[in-house]
Amino acid sequence: MRRRCALKHGICREFLAEFLGTFVLVLFGCGSVAQSVLSRSQLGEPLTVHIGFSVGLMMGVYVSGGVSGGHVNPAVSLAMVILGKLKIWKFPIYVLAQFLGAFAGAATVFGLYYDAFMDFTSGILSVTGINATGHIFASYPARHLSVLGGFIDQVVGTGMLVLCILAIIDGGNIGAPKGIEPLAIGLIIMAIGVSMGLNCGYPLNPARDLGPRLFTAVAGWGWEVFSTAGYWWWIPVAGPMVGAVVAAALYFLLVEMHHKQADPQKPTEEEEEDDDEDDEDEDSSLKDKYEMIIMN
């Protein structure tokens, strides 16, 4: 009974950590886009958006990392399941927490800037047009981007994200100093943003894109958020999951499985020294007992 209660308590803690970490990511990330768009670029630009998402991810991982690992992304969670770093039964729980956190983060951004939204749009919330604001919360493709190009974009972008995360947390690799991992992960997003953001704004995260997109659908933008650009919405959901699987497989096959393993047949120098010390202690103990018998 106690074990069951402890298990429930543990998964609740992880659920809340993932929820809060994703909430922080979306609040900072979408908030930076909202400030740039609603101020008509007077208080923001592409670089500030890159910073917002990078710092948002970094802080989200700091918030949740010690409890749940700080995935804040279903694609990352899937990669951890594939590599045996996350139990498969926890996967849907993590994903639900991430989607709810992203939805709540988008709702908070809208509430925070509600008056600015009404002033910018004159009360007409739209996905397309000169006063479009749907792209504040979710990704939409550039005019030049095809469906196949968008899918490849998300596979490659998310693949690089997951590949670098696995390298950062891999104890058998160089890794990152303890406590610095979130900073390093935030820098990955910065690098992806400044190098792969042209096509569709690097969503790379099904929860970060679909959660806010669902919010916009019910908050006044309507179901156009799903039908626009030839029903684009599934690309930033499916693409990152495929990218995560590919990256996890590549990292395991090309890096992780080649780590040098200690030979169990050959004791290390420290183990040999410990054995010598134990032998000396035993000899000393036997000598003391022998001397006591002689004295008696």
Side-chain angles (χ1 to χ4, degrees):
M1 188 68 179
R2 289 182 179 178
R3 184 178 179 182
R4 184 179 300 176
C5 291
L7 182 63
K8 289 182 179 180
H9 178 69
I11 195 61
C12 284
R13 290 177 64 243
E14 292 174 36
F15 179 93
L16 293 174
E18 283 296 304
F19 171 88
L20 192 57
T22 313
F23 172 84
V24 170
L25 162 62
V26 172
L27 179 60
F28 283 132
C30 292
S32 66
V33 183
Q35 179 167 287
S36 178
V37 172
L38 299 178
S39 70
R40 301 188 186 276
S41 299
Q42 293 182 7
L43 298 176
E45 57 181 349
L47 181 58
T48 63
V49 173
H50 299 330
I51 294 172
F53 274 108
S54 299
V55 175
L57 177 60
M58 180 178 68
M59 291 297 115
V61 176
Y62 269 122
V63 166
S64 58
V67 178
S68 65
H71 298 177
V72 300
N73 185 339
V76 174
S77 297
L78 179 60
M80 297 305 171
V81 169
I82 292 172
L83 295 174
K85 302 178 188 296
L86 177 70
K87 295 179 180 178
I88 191 169
W89 65 268
K90 288 185 177 183
F91 177 69
I93 298 173
Y94 273 50
V95 171
L96 177 61
Q98 292 156 2
F99 273 99
L100 292 177
F103 187 96
T108 303
V109 170
F110 183 64
L112 182 67
Y113 285 119
Y114 178 79
D115 293 333
F117 271 103
M118 293 301 103
D119 178 69
F120 184 89
T121 65
S122 298
I124 301 174
L125 302 175
S126 61
V127 178
T128 58
I130 191 171
N131 289 329
T133 49
H135 63 289
I136 289 175
F137 298 98
S139 68
Y140 294 90
R143 291 182 180 180
H144 68 265
L145 192 64
S146 65
V147 172
L148 179 59
F151 188 80
I152 294 174
D153 175 274
Q154 287 304 286
V155 170
V156 173
T158 309
M160 290 307 302
L161 172 64
V162 172
L163 189 74
C164 293
I165 288 175
L166 293 176
I168 289 169
I169 65 174
D170 185 1
N173 208 327
I174 295 176
K178 184 175 177 57
I180 304 299
E181 299 94 338
L183 174 60
I185 293 171
L187 291 176
I188 301 171
I189 290 295
M190 175 66 77
I192 293 173
V194 299
S195 63
M196 306 180 200
L198 174 63
N199 286 331
C200 57
Y202 64 98
L204 313 177
N205 183 335
R208 168 261 172 279
D209 192 86
L210 186 56
R213 194 183 298 271
L214 283 170
F215 169 76
T216 56
V218 300
W221 281 263
W223 294 103
E224 186 183 0
V225 299
F226 291 101
S227 62
T228 296
Y231 293 90
W232 158 267
W233 70 270
W234 68 272
I235 300 292
V237 174
M241 303 302 275
V242 174
V245 173
V246 173
L250 286 175
Y251 190 82
F252 178 77
L253 294 173
L254 301 181
V255 178
E256 190 169 330
M257 71 177 296
H258 299 290
H259 290 332
K260 293 182 180 179
Q261 301 293 331
D263 189 349
Q265 302 299 326
K266 297 179 180 180
T268 62
E269 294 181 1
E270 293 182 0
E271 291 175 342
E272 291 177 352
E273 291 177 0
D274 291 340
D275 291 340
D276 292 341
E277 290 178 1
D278 291 341
D279 292 341
E280 291 176 1
D281 291 341
E282 288 181 7
D283 292 342
S284 177
S285 177
L286 290 173
K287 183 178 180 181
D288 292 342
K289 289 180 180 179
Y290 178 75
E291 291 178 351
M292 291 176 64
I293 293 173
I294 296 298
M295 290 175 66
N296 290 333

